[in-house]
Amino acid sequence: MLKLQDIVKTYENGHRAVRGINLDIQHGEFIVLVGPSGCGKSSLLRSIAGLEAINSGAIYLNGRRVDQIKPAQRDIAMVFQNYALYPHMTVYQNLAYGLKNRGVDKGTIEQKIRSVATTLKIEDYLDRKPSKLSGGQRQRVAMGRAIVRDPQLFLFDEPLSNLDAALRSHMRLEIKKLQRELNVTSVYVTHDQVEAMTLADRIVVLKEGSIEQIGTPKEVYHQPASTFVASFIGSPAMNFLPALGQNNSLLVAGQTLTLSSPIHSTTCTLGIRPEQAQLHCDGPSLKLRFKIGVIEPLGPNQLVHGSIVDEQQKAQPFIAMTSEMTLPVNGEIDLFIPLEQLHLFDQMGKRIGSEFKMQ
């Protein structure tokens, strides 16, 4: 449905926001572009919409090249972060504006707006101006304006960032349900990895204008391609411990692990998700001595901040997630991490696909 081929976007000040991106998106797929500020995700989205001219490459929508034609002729609808509603128009007029400009007759406009208003539960607000609506209601109107156009492609540019946490969570669910019902190919930009994980069919993680990893939420979470992806996807972020590798052995926190295949990188990084650190483990596991610093209660769970105690090297910061319980602050406990839950990265921060065994 959407094909991005070697997309490059360089601004007049010389900043290269997008660096040769290639991406194929299937019909009806919900793709989320995620990454830190300045990684190029909004520049890429605006390039697809035609709001930014690309320097090189090509964009194809349903087999038709669109990067050389005007935005209005691309059959793409975009939902903006600031809603971009006309303040002097009513909700009905905002929804109808794009259809009127395309010469759609009044009867069809009326039918489309009533249908979309019912779907989005905004039928009671059609005579109101945007200033009389809440943030969530304005967001629904902005989405409605995109839906009535019946486009081939939806683009979302951080549409929930202006909403409070509870409403953001509710609107995430609404957007996902709506996208499933309409089955419209969608590209969604966010810096919020929770939004990315909950909404996406596939996540595209961007770093400095390039794609770091593409995969399902499960793949990106459980098999991060690099320390960058591992630290960005997941809350709280993955813990990293320095490790020394030699042939089939890995020395970490004073212990030696055996690897299923030899590694070529002597300086390595071992990654551990906070929720994988356990107080007890029956199977093969890495045992770490953990000094507790601060405990953050989260209701049913708690975040335990501290450091890994190792006589051979300085203390390494570490976060564990446990169920709600009393633990000795400033005391030491043992943590166990199942070997299958360990992640290994080379000195460049790239994933090493190797299985662990106890020596």
Side-chain angles (χ1 to χ4, degrees), residues 167 183 197 258 333:
L167 189 54
N183 197 34
M197 293 289 288
T258 301
I333 60 172

Side-chain angles (χ1 to χ4, degrees), residues 110-351:
E110 173 77 16
Q111 181 185 352
K112 279 178 171 285
I113 289 177
R114 295 296 171 188
S115 173
V116 167
T118 302
T119 300
L120 292 172
K121 299 181 176 64
I122 55 173
E123 57 264 59
D124 294 336
Y125 315 131
L126 292 176
D127 294 328
R128 295 188 196 178
K129 299 279 181 67
S131 60
K132 303 296 183 184
L133 302 177
S134 68
Q137 290 164 351
R138 289 182 205 178
Q139 189 55 69
R140 290 172 190 269
V141 176
M143 289 171 58
R145 189 177 53 185
I147 295 167
V148 293
R149 288 180 50 193
D150 196 20
Q152 291 190 61
L153 179 68
F154 276 155
L155 302 179
F156 296 90
D157 189 8
E158 302 200 35
L160 307 183
S161 58
N162 291 335
L163 305 179
D164 62 60
L167 189 54
R168 198 158 59 236
S169 177
H170 175 71
M171 286 302 295
R172 270 204 315 265
L173 181 61
E174 292 296 312
I175 288 175
K176 185 154 190 172
K177 282 167 57 180
L178 194 62
Q179 195 269 343
R180 291 284 183 269
E181 288 173 18
L182 300 173
N183 197 34
V184 177
T185 311
S186 302
V187 182
Y188 188 106
V189 158
T190 183
H191 63 272
D192 185 332
Q193 53 95 19
V194 175
E195 275 182 34
M197 293 289 288
T198 53
L199 285 171
D201 293 322
R202 282 191 299 157
I203 294 174
V204 179
V205 184
L206 294 173
K207 178 187 179 185
E208 296 176 355
S210 299
I211 293 176
E212 189 79 0
Q213 185 173 359
I214 303 173
T216 64
K218 188 174 181 180
E219 289 168 346
V220 171
Y221 186 80
H222 291 291
Q223 287 113 29
S226 64
T227 52
F228 174 81
V229 176
S231 60
F232 194 81
I233 300 293
S235 181
M238 184 181 283
N239 297 292
F240 296 115
L241 299 178
L244 292 174
Q246 187 173 17
N247 297 325
N248 287 70
S249 296
L250 188 75
L251 180 65
V252 58
Q255 296 178 67
T256 301
L257 297 176
T258 301
L259 300 171
S260 59
S261 54
I263 55 174
H264 307 291
S265 183
T266 54
T267 304
C268 302
T269 300
L270 191 71
I272 300 169
R273 294 272 183 207
E275 63 272 24
Q276 300 300 346
Q278 303 174 12
L279 300 181
H280 309 280
C281 186
D282 296 330
S285 61
L286 173 67
K287 180 181 176 182
L288 299 173
R289 193 67 182 164
F290 180 55
K291 183 174 182 179
I292 298 171
V294 178
I295 297 176
E296 281 187 280
L298 298 175
N301 301 314
Q302 59 189 20
L303 293 182
V304 187
H305 300 257
S307 57
I308 298 302
V309 180
D310 182 3
E311 295 174 359
Q312 299 179 6
Q313 51 186 309
K314 63 180 182 179
Q316 297 293 329
F318 196 91
I319 301 175
M321 180 182 282
T322 72
S323 56
E324 189 178 27
M325 64 178 67
T326 301
L327 292 172
V329 176
N330 296 324
E332 295 183 7
I333 60 172
D334 288 329
L335 293 178
F336 300 88
I337 298 88
L339 296 188
E340 65 270 17
Q341 302 294 351
L342 297 175
H343 303 265
L344 187 60
F345 305 93
D346 65 18
Q347 59 192 7
M348 300 299 291
K350 300 300 181 184
R351 183 179 185 84

